[in-house]
Amino acid sequence: MPIPWLLVPRPLVNDNAPTTEDNAVVELLKVPPVVDELAERFAAAGHRLYLVGGSVRDAVLDRPTTDLDFTTDARPPQVQALLKGWADAVWDTGIAFGTLGATKRGETVEITTFRADSYDGVTRNPEVTFGDTIDGDLVRRDFTVNAMAFEVSTRAFVDPTGGMAAVAAKVLDTPATPEESFSDDPLRMLRAARFVSQLGFTPAPRVVEAMTAMAPQLARITPERVQAELSKLLCGAHPRLGLELMVRTGLADLVLPELTAMKLEIDEHHQHKDVYEHSLVVLEQAIDLEDPELSPDLVLRLAALLHDIGKPDTRRFEDGGGVSFHHHEVVGAKMARKRLRALRYSKEITEDVAQLVYLHLRFHGYGKGEWTDSAVRRYVTDAEHLLTRLHKLVRADCTTRNKRKASSLQRTYDELEERIARIGAEEDLKRVRPDLDGNEIMRLLGLPPGPLVGKAWKFLKELRLDRGPLDHDEAIAELFAWARSEGVELPER
């Protein structure tokens, strides 16, 4: 559930500076009841509790958020004591870093003691040091837009690094120098690209300069952490902006080198589309086809971005000035699988994206509708649960500026979808199975369970795809004919 905050322009209330009319800011007037309850407990014990980071930033931007992240001057044992007897559940897996989590009436909160960490410059693991002031805690954060805090009990807004001004200007900058910030935690460079995607902000020139110079330091970060940031970037509202920043600064060379490789040099005698630019357009067009009522489709977005990943490795210059990319979908599927595995994506996501990359060209064999019903069945069964995504990917892959050609392609795909719907209604294509099941195959052929039964089952499924449903007697006759051709000794009947 989004946090129901009400935002109203008010004069600045700041712990560190006197109120002036020039300080335009917002006061958060409504928070979930559990927040006020928690703040009262901390205040009664003599401690301060601040909403902080993305929760405040999103409130200022009037964006929905489910985060309830807090910081406090209370040390972890004191936080534990204050949560005891109030929270429905408490977990302390992050207590070594000063963080405790809790739930109360369905709301989840995370509370971290003020931090003043130092980093060794080799790993991203800090030497945890607790701080004493909210300013000191905020200054060590990644970006100024995330370095604003709101003291719940007093309704005081704290903004020592100019986060509100950065939000107003839609600029992404660091509280300290970018070099200091990124040296502390190189993942912040990728996080910058993620925030560009999510918020549509522009990184400050000094941030871009530091990212470009320090991009190799991202190698210090584990693939799992990199993957999490990349996924959030791709699921943002402006993923193209984030990806372009990654390529421009060299971060993509470490995270998705295949993306940079798609920036193929265009030979004046061998014209073809800019594969990199084309892929970004396909990504945008695929996003336009997503259901706005559902969450962003990470699988579809990855497939759209990577669908032509195999083109650089398959490019061939042809006589007469042409360029070919034969079998780039086959090569691309292998490359996508390898890259997603390296980024520690789940097996399901990896295989789904690779299959979409492999299938994205299949439609172009349809021509003007020459496919037989058998070919249509195979298209559906090969796509399986990915059929809806495949429809969107194929439609998004049309980026020609020739309006007549684009319209023709879309009409042809409309026709294919209509054929799929018609044949599907007649034959239930989503559950294509042989006309005889495994048990009946074993009974008819007198076989025990084993590879030969699977081979017979596969033969019957292929037959079903080619010819559609067979009546029972015809299916048995075909099975016996196949068995004789395979040298299977049939039982006496």
Side-chain angles (χ1 to χ4, degrees), residues 6-19:
L6 180 63
L7 305 177
V8 179
R10 299 296 298 272
L12 175 66
V13 181
N14 193 310
D15 283 359
N16 314 290
T19 300

Side-chain angles (χ1 to χ4, degrees), residues 321-333:
V323 177
S324 67
F325 303 95
H326 294 311
H327 306 301
H328 76 268
E329 75 281 12
V330 178
V331 173

Side-chain angles (χ1 to χ4, degrees), residues 76-87:
Q78 296 168 316
V79 175
Q80 274 185 314
L82 288 167
L83 290 175
K84 187 176 181 180
W86 174 82

Side-chain angles (χ1 to χ4, degrees), residues 456-469:
W457 189 93
K458 184 177 180 179
F459 162 76
L460 289 173
K461 180 177 179 180
E462 292 294 315
L463 196 64
R464 169 75 167 74
L465 288 170
D466 283 337
R467 291 166 49 181

Side-chain angles (χ1 to χ4, degrees), residues 194-405:
R194 187 247 289 186
F195 285 130
V196 166
S197 169
Q198 289 181 327
L199 305 176
F201 284 12
T202 300
R206 69 173 191 161
V207 169
V208 176
E209 184 178 342
M211 290 171 67
T212 304
M214 300 176 68
Q217 292 197 35
L218 192 63
R220 289 161 47 191
I221 307 302
T222 64
E224 291 82 0
R225 297 296 305 280
V226 169
Q227 180 250 99
E229 290 298 327
L230 178 62
S231 295
K232 291 175 183 177
L233 183 159
L234 287 171
C235 290
H238 314 280
R240 176 173 183 152
L241 297 179
L243 292 166
E244 288 176 332
L245 179 60
M246 286 178 61
V247 170
R248 188 163 74 250
T249 58
L251 288 177
D253 293 341
L254 286 91
V255 180
L256 273 179
E258 297 84 359
L259 180 61
T260 305
M262 286 193 280
K263 293 175 70 72
L264 297 176
E265 182 179 349
I266 305 299
D267 186 294
E268 62 177 337
H269 301 296
H270 296 86
Q271 292 294 323
H272 60 82
K273 288 182 180 178
D274 181 331
V275 181
Y276 169 74
E277 176 70 21
H278 166 73
S279 298
L280 294 179
V281 172
V282 172
L283 171 61
E284 291 178 315
Q285 294 186 166
I287 292 171
D288 289 340
L289 295 174
E290 290 180 351
D291 186 336
E293 300 298 318
L294 300 177
S295 299
D297 189 337
L298 177 60
V299 168
L300 177 63
R301 295 184 182 203
L302 279 167
L305 181 64
L306 302 178
H307 75 286
D308 277 346
I309 193 176
K311 278 193 170 181
D313 283 4
T314 58
R315 181 172 65 162
R316 298 291 182 273
F317 294 123
E318 306 291 351
D319 294 339
V323 177
S324 67
F325 303 95
H326 294 311
H327 306 301
H328 76 268
E329 75 281 12
V330 178
V331 173
K334 293 179 180 177
M335 293 175 65
R337 186 177 288 110
K338 182 179 180 180
R339 176 53 52 197
L340 296 181
R341 285 174 177 168
L343 287 168
R344 305 295 194 270
Y345 276 99
S346 69
K347 181 179 179 181
E348 292 75 17
I349 290 177
T350 298
E351 292 306 316
D352 283 354
V353 172
Q355 183 68 352
L356 285 169
V357 172
Y358 177 71
L359 292 174
H360 83 275
L361 274 188
R362 181 81 63 86
F363 161 70
H364 294 283
Y366 188 74
K368 297 184 180 298
E370 293 91 345
W371 276 5
T372 62
D373 284 356
S374 171
V376 174
R377 291 188 198 101
R378 290 181 184 278
Y379 188 75
V380 173
T381 54
D382 286 350
E384 296 185 308
H385 63 286
L386 297 171
L387 183 62
T388 299
R389 286 186 174 119
L390 182 58
H391 289 332
K392 294 175 182 177
L393 177 58
V394 171
R395 289 184 181 277
D397 194 23
C398 176
T399 62
T400 178
R401 295 180 182 179
N402 185 319
K403 292 184 178 180
R404 181 178 298 178
K405 182 178 179 181

